[in-house]
């Protein structure tokens, strides 16, 4: 449904759920995903319920971990670089028949 609209790329780091000896999160290897990245400011409720301003809206086909990190474009860094974002909110894009067609991520 949205596959033909995803003409950009992002790099996604998924957390392993573990931390190093300094308390920093560990990451799985980066994954490059097709996306639609729109710089669009809007008021949203973040994952903790606070009202915040989202700077970007990203559409993807892959499910994103709320503690993951997203970077616009391609990066081969093993840990998320500065300029990467943690999702503020994630929502499902539901097609007819209740099938999940993708995810919308607010940054």
């Amino acid at each position: 449904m949205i596959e033909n609209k995803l003409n950009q790329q992002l790099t996604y780091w998924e957390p392993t759920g573990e931390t190093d000896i300094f308390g920093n999160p560990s990451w799985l290897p980066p994954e490059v995903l097709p996306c639609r990245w729109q710089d669009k400011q809007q008021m949203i409720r973040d994952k903790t319920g606070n009202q915040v301003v989202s700077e970007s809206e990203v559409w993807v086909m892959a499910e994103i971990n709320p503690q993951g990190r997203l970077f616009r474009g391609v990066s081969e860094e093993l840990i998320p670089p500065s300029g990467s974002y943690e999702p503020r909110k994630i929502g499902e894009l539901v097609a007819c028949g209740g099938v999940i067609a993708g995810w919308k991520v607010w940054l």
Side-chain angles (χ1 to χ4, degrees), residues 89-101:
K89 180 179 177 180
I90 299 173
E92 297 174 341
L93 298 171
V94 181
C96 297
V99 176
I100 296 174

Side-chain angles (χ1 to χ4, degrees), residues 17-76:
E18 299 175 3
T19 57
D20 63 17
I21 60 172
F22 302 107
N24 299 316
S26 297
W27 305 97
L28 294 175
E31 186 178 353
V32 176
L33 302 172
C35 73
R36 175 71 180 139
W37 190 300
Q38 299 178 11
D39 291 328
K40 175 181 176 181
Q41 289 187 336
Q42 58 184 319
M43 294 293 287
I44 62 165
R45 294 261 178 210
D46 67 10
K47 50 192 167 189
T48 60
N50 296 319
Q51 191 170 5
V52 297
V53 176
S54 166
E55 297 294 329
S56 300
E57 185 178 292
V58 180
W59 294 23
V60 292
M61 293 293 296
E63 189 169 3
I64 301 294
N65 184 311
Q67 282 75 45
R69 300 289 290 194
L70 302 175
F71 178 81
R72 189 177 198 163
V74 177
S75 173
E76 295 179 5

